[in-house]
Amino acid sequence: MGIRVVARIRPQQPHELEKDVIVSTASNATLVKIPNPKNESEDFTFQFSSVYDHTATQQQIFDNEVSPTIKHLFNGFDVTVFAYGSTGTGKTHTMRGGKTLAERGVIPRLLSGIYRRARKIVKDSEGETTVEITLSYYEIYNDKVFDLFEAPEKRTLAGLPLRDNGCKTVVVGLTERRCESLKEFENLYDQANINRSTSATKLNAASSRSHAILGIRLTVTTGDEVRTSIASAIDLAGSEDNRRTQNGKERMVESASINKSLFTLAKCVEAISQKDARIPYRESKMTRILSLGQNNGLTVMILNLAPVRSFHLDTLSSLNFANRTKRIEVREIENEPVFKQCPRGAPTISGPNIRRQPLRPLASIVHNASAMSAPKNPLKQGDKQAKAFSVYSDRAGHSNMGSRPPIRGEPPRRSSPLKRPSPADPSSRPQKRRSPYRLMSRPQPGMSKEAIEDIIERKVTDILAARALDQPSIAPQPEISGEVQRRLDLLEKKIDGQDDGREQGLTFLLMAKQHAVRGEDASALRMYSLAKEFFPDNKKLEVKIEKLREKIQEKKEESRRQEVEPQLVKPSVIKPGKKTNRAEQNDDYRDEAVHDQNCESDGGFHCKAKTKKKRSRPVRLSSAELGNEDLQTPRTKQLLEIVNTRDVSQIRLLKGVGAKKAEAIIEALCAGEEDEDELRPVTSLRQLGQLRGVGTKMVENMRFGLQNIAIE
């Protein structure tokens, strides 16, 4: 089953106009339409599982999309719900919502549904089934993981590490809070959201500067069976264009980290759709945790869209990403239950290594024999009574059976002639030396754990000392040069976190190079200037900044010269008393549109020339302009005058016409005339397009290129 993608179009903001709305939905509520930015007469259409317009409420989205996943969660399936979109499209509002009951988002409603179903299961099972809910909440800020249940002052600079546990990625050291009721969850959730990183930008007054992940661990216990499942609710930060947000230095670093993680997510989706062997999950911590295509469960993606023209390119990019995401196949595999084991009993005393066993009574024959062999006289003072039992031990040669009294009827035992007689004084016998390793492997009875560790430590020290004496002396190391020592110090500073912002300066340099490659000289100069604070003595950086300033100044002077130069197109003369027709007004509007396409805004109230101009497309001619002689614009009349001159030198200057094409046009004009002395002029663009070798498209190109011809 693929990922379920749901599109939601946010309402208009108070400062947005109705005429700027470009995103619409179809009648079947599964299609999203958006015009082509290069040709607005053409529409792009995207189909998703569900599409909601600006009239949809929080309750409708939850009931239709998220609520059906709760029963799968209790059946042992993992559930993932995440919101995606550019900045200012309402992702946090969809996931978190507001304070009122009607404005609650997906996360509070999901917890409310989980608690309601848990109470029902416990009630129906009459207490045999118990449900335990634990929460974890953390954020990914600048590609570092921080626990939101802890205060910001308790965080470490490096954040929490990630570890792979099978096919899942876990956060080491993450706090998990047990939550018994919805009221307790609301208190924890509100307190944790205060610790989340948010800030104001030009496009969003409360922009999320990090990706937030809420983990809900559900443990259902029925008798000896324990089933665990996890629901993840993820609020992703939105992609940003720094030229529009006008971020400062700190916001710029956050924006670079957000865009990098979202770009890595797009690379993962592209690699999955193309079925590549390697998916770049590990290039970002966010993609490692989300693991699209690897998590075995249900995944719901809520795509948030802005309906206005100012978000046109961002909205189109989000739609393309969601269109690729819906094709990812996810395996819905149920988590296996765990069964409780019976408690283990006390270990039995057996085996050859047991030092002492309980006393056992001797056989009845031995007991009777000892009793019969006992003297009838009473024992004298100091004498010991014969034992009627024996102590069994695993040490050979230390049995107590050798000292037992002889049994009546038993033949006397003879000693072996090969056995050496024991001396009278036991102390004179040579003691057999025992191996120290045998003592280590078989601890003596009564030795404590500390004594055993002390013995091991002494033996290891002796072995290491013996090895050190056997090794030859190590030659002295050569002295390290000053350059190598300086590099080692820099590496130590970087490892210890004392880099003094050098890493941040390198980030600015990287962003400056990216802007320079795209031809955005102003943004590149700004990034180089920010990086100059971290590398004040870098001469090469100063040269780059100076060259960029000169380049920008030259472009400004060139744009001023172009504005001052007179237009090369002959101005149209309007006779007094004659009103301008609608075709002429349309032509003026087209000229203004062409002028607007050749300019771009620099964030203020004036327009500057683009550094990299895109090729303009000719305006299509109306049927009235093609056939009617009275409804002709000045540019149309000028084109017909040039063609009627039948001068190759003038016709070849038209756009898309060369010397050979100009001669062919003149030959086509002369071919239709029977009398060579009588020249019939071309009176309309339709007539010009019907000539041999000339079509409507060529007429449009010639007419559009008239602004580049110098009229003498």
Side-chain angles (χ1 to χ4, degrees):
M1 183 178 179
I3 296 177
R4 182 174 179 83
V5 179
V6 180
R8 184 184 189 185
I9 304 173
R10 70 163 174 82
Q12 294 176 238
Q13 301 293 340
H15 62 276
E16 296 173 348
L17 303 179
E18 183 69 28
K19 64 180 182 180
D20 292 334
V21 176
I22 59 174
V23 182
S24 60
T25 61
S27 58
N28 56 357
T30 58
L31 298 178
V32 177
K33 292 184 178 181
I34 184 171
N36 184 354
K38 297 182 179 180
N39 183 13
E40 294 197 356
S41 61
E42 178 185 0
D43 288 340
F44 290 146
T45 303
F46 299 88
Q47 184 174 9
F48 302 112
S49 301
S50 299
V51 176
Y52 298 91
D53 58 5
H54 64 280
T55 60
T57 61
Q58 302 273 59
Q59 185 67 33
Q60 290 177 350
I61 293 176
F62 175 78
D63 291 343
N64 298 336
E65 308 300 336
V66 184
S67 181
T69 62
I70 297 179
K71 62 179 181 180
H72 296 284
L73 182 66
F74 278 85
N75 290 334
F77 292 92
D78 292 341
V79 176
T80 302
V81 182
F82 69 97
Y84 181 89
S86 59
T87 182
T89 54
K91 298 181 297 300
T92 304
H93 176 75
T94 300
M95 298 301 293
R96 189 194 304 179
K99 293 295 183 183
T100 62
L101 190 63
E103 292 295 325
R104 289 190 308 166
V106 169
I107 293 176
R109 295 176 188 272
L110 177 62
L111 265 297
S112 178
I114 290 174
Y115 281 114
R116 192 183 306 112
R117 190 174 184 87
R119 289 194 298 267
K120 183 177 182 301
I121 290 175
V122 174
K123 183 178 179 181
D124 293 344
S125 64
E126 297 180 356
E128 294 183 0
T129 301
T130 59
V131 180
E132 182 180 349
I133 300 172
T134 56
L135 302 177
S136 61
Y137 196 24
Y138 57 97
E139 68 174 355
I140 304 175
Y141 176 73
N142 287 345
D143 207 32
K144 299 176 182 177
V145 181
F146 298 106
D147 192 350
L148 291 177
F149 283 150
E150 290 185 352
E153 56 269 13
K154 295 182 179 180
R155 296 178 178 177
T156 59
L157 295 177
L160 300 177
L162 300 182
R163 296 289 183 269
D164 292 332
N165 183 14
C167 61
K168 297 182 180 180
T169 301
V170 296
V171 182
V172 180
L174 188 63
T175 304
E176 288 192 352
R177 300 284 183 87
R178 185 172 178 178
C179 196
E180 300 291 345
S181 63
L182 184 62
K183 185 67 175 177
E184 185 178 352
F185 159 74
E186 291 176 352
N187 295 333
L188 284 174
Y189 190 59
D190 293 341
Q191 184 64 32
N193 285 325
I194 297 175
N195 300 331
R196 188 181 176 186
S197 302
T198 57
S199 180
T201 63
K202 186 178 179 181
L203 298 181
N204 191 356
S207 176
S208 301
R209 314 308 298 167
S210 64
H211 310 296
I213 299 97
L214 176 67
I216 307 167
R217 183 182 296 274
L218 189 69
T219 305
V220 181
T221 305
T222 305
D224 295 338
E225 180 181 342
V226 180
R227 190 183 297 273
T228 303
S229 54
I230 298 175
S232 301
I234 305 173
D235 179 16
L236 297 178
S239 58
E240 295 182 345
D241 187 354
N242 293 321
R243 295 171 295 182
R244 297 176 57 201
T245 55
Q246 296 183 359
N247 290 329
K249 181 173 64 174
E250 185 178 357
R251 302 285 86 79
M252 196 84 72
V253 175
E254 297 171 350
S255 177
S257 177
I258 293 171
N259 291 341
K260 177 187 174 184
S261 60
L262 294 177
F263 177 68
T264 305
L265 179 61
K267 285 170 54 179
C268 293
V269 172
E270 184 68 21
I272 295 172
S273 61
Q274 295 182 359
K275 298 182 179 179
D276 292 347
R278 178 186 176 274
I279 312 298
Y281 288 115
R282 304 185 72 86
E283 293 184 8
S284 174
K285 292 186 177 180
M286 186 265 287
T287 53
R288 286 185 64 186
I289 293 173
L290 189 57
S291 297
L292 283 180
Q294 282 191 333
N295 47 357
N296 301 327
L298 284 80
T299 303
V300 179
M301 172 183 172
I302 302 177
L303 176 64
N304 294 89
L305 303 173
V308 293
R309 190 180 301 276
S310 58
F311 291 84
H312 197 165
L313 296 179
D314 295 333
T315 302
L316 192 59
S317 176
S318 300
L319 288 170
N320 287 324
F321 172 80
N323 196 39
R324 293 191 299 268
T325 305
K326 72 179 183 180
R327 299 190 182 98
I328 299 177
E329 295 293 333
V330 180
R331 301 184 302 273
E332 295 183 5
I333 299 177
E334 180 182 357
N335 294 329
E336 296 182 357
V338 179
F339 294 91
K340 294 182 180 179
Q341 297 181 355
C342 298
R344 297 181 179 179
T348 57
I349 303 175
S350 62
N353 295 329
I354 301 301
R355 310 312 306 166
R356 186 176 181 85
Q357 294 184 0
L359 300 178
R360 301 176 185 176
L362 295 176
S364 58
I365 299 177
V366 177
H367 179 71
N368 294 336
S370 60
M372 293 174 65
S373 60
K376 297 182 180 180
N377 299 329
L379 294 175
K380 298 180 181 179
Q381 188 176 1
D383 293 340
K384 292 183 179 180
Q385 188 176 3
K387 293 182 179 179
F389 54 85
S390 175
V391 178
Y392 292 90
S393 176
D394 60 341
R395 287 182 293 179
H398 294 276
S399 176
N400 294 330
M401 295 296 294
S403 61
R404 65 179 177 85
I407 302 176
R408 182 180 296 178
E410 181 182 4
R413 291 180 298 175
R414 298 180 181 181
S415 60
S416 174
L418 302 178
K419 190 174 182 180
R420 184 178 60 182
S422 60
D425 188 6
S427 61
S428 62
R429 292 180 60 184
Q431 295 290 334
K432 184 177 180 180
R433 185 177 181 182
R434 296 200 175 198
S435 173
Y437 300 103
R438 189 174 179 183
L439 293 175
M440 292 167 54
S441 61
R442 298 179 64 181
Q444 299 296 330
M447 293 181 65
S448 63
K449 184 177 180 181
E450 291 77 8
I452 297 173
E453 292 178 355
D454 188 27
I455 293 173
I456 295 173
E457 185 177 0
R458 286 202 307 270
K459 297 302 177 183
V460 170
T461 305
D462 295 342
I463 294 171
L464 293 178
R467 289 182 181 178
L469 292 175
D470 295 339
Q471 292 179 356
S473 59
I474 301 174
Q477 298 291 338
E479 295 184 359
I480 301 176
S481 62
E483 181 66 20
V484 176
Q485 186 64 36
R486 186 179 65 83
R487 292 187 178 182
L488 290 175
D489 294 340
L490 288 177
L491 288 174
E492 289 180 359
K493 287 183 180 180
K494 185 177 291 187
I495 293 173
D496 295 339
Q498 302 173 358
D499 200 13
D500 298 333
R502 183 180 177 87
E503 182 179 356
Q504 193 171 0
L506 292 175
T507 303
F508 288 134
L509 286 177
L510 178 60
M511 296 175 66
K513 289 182 180 179
Q514 292 175 352
H515 286 299
V517 170
R518 292 196 293 263
E520 302 166 355
D521 296 333
S523 300
L525 178 60
R526 186 178 180 186
M527 292 296 100
Y528 278 129
S529 302
L530 292 174
K532 185 67 173 62
E533 300 177 3
F534 301 95
F535 308 100
D537 300 332
N538 196 322
K539 301 296 182 183
K540 188 176 180 180
L541 184 58
E542 294 177 358
V543 172
K544 284 187 178 181
I545 293 174
E546 189 62 29
K547 286 184 179 179
L548 274 177
R549 287 175 179 169
E550 294 176 358
K551 187 177 180 181
I552 293 172
Q553 188 64 26
E554 290 177 359
K555 289 183 179 179
K556 288 183 179 179
E557 293 176 358
E558 184 180 354
S559 63
R560 291 195 191 101
R561 285 198 302 269
Q562 291 179 357
E563 292 176 0
V564 173
E565 289 178 358
Q567 294 184 352
L568 299 179
V569 183
K570 183 188 292 184
S572 60
V573 179
I574 302 175
K575 295 182 180 180
K578 184 178 179 180
K579 297 182 180 179
T580 58
N581 52 29
R582 187 175 300 276
E584 294 178 351
Q585 294 177 0
N586 293 338
D587 189 65
D588 295 338
Y589 292 152
R590 293 191 186 100
D591 292 340
E592 292 178 2
V594 172
H595 174 70
D596 293 339
Q597 290 177 359
N598 292 333
C599 296
E600 70 176 353
S601 174
D602 61 348
F605 295 95
H606 63 278
C607 184
K608 65 179 181 179
K610 287 186 178 180
T611 57
K612 186 177 180 180
K613 294 184 179 180
K614 293 184 179 180
R615 189 173 182 180
S616 302
R617 300 181 62 180
V619 183
R620 288 192 172 275
L621 299 172
S622 62
S623 59
E625 292 175 341
L626 287 172
N628 197 341
E629 298 179 6
D630 296 332
L631 298 176
Q632 291 182 356
T633 62
R635 191 181 299 179
T636 303
K637 294 178 181 179
Q638 182 184 354
L639 175 60
L640 296 177
E641 289 174 3
I642 293 174
V643 174
N644 289 327
T645 59
R646 308 195 180 191
D647 187 1
V648 178
S649 61
Q650 291 190 25
I651 297 176
R652 68 189 295 269
L653 295 177
L654 294 174
K655 184 178 180 181
V657 181
K660 292 184 179 181
K661 199 69 176 179
E663 294 175 359
I665 292 174
I666 295 174
E667 290 178 2
L669 290 171
C670 297
E673 299 170 355
E674 299 176 357
D675 188 3
E676 296 181 357
D677 297 334
E678 183 181 0
L679 301 177
R680 294 182 180 179
V682 180
T683 58
S684 65
L685 297 180
R686 185 188 300 275
Q687 186 178 355
L688 178 60
Q690 292 175 353
L691 294 177
R692 184 179 180 182
V694 183
T696 305
K697 188 173 182 181
M698 187 174 181
V699 172
E700 292 175 355
N701 290 333
M702 289 190 296
R703 182 180 176 278
F704 185 76
L706 278 177
Q707 58 186 352
N708 299 324
I709 300 179
I711 306 300
E712 297 181 355

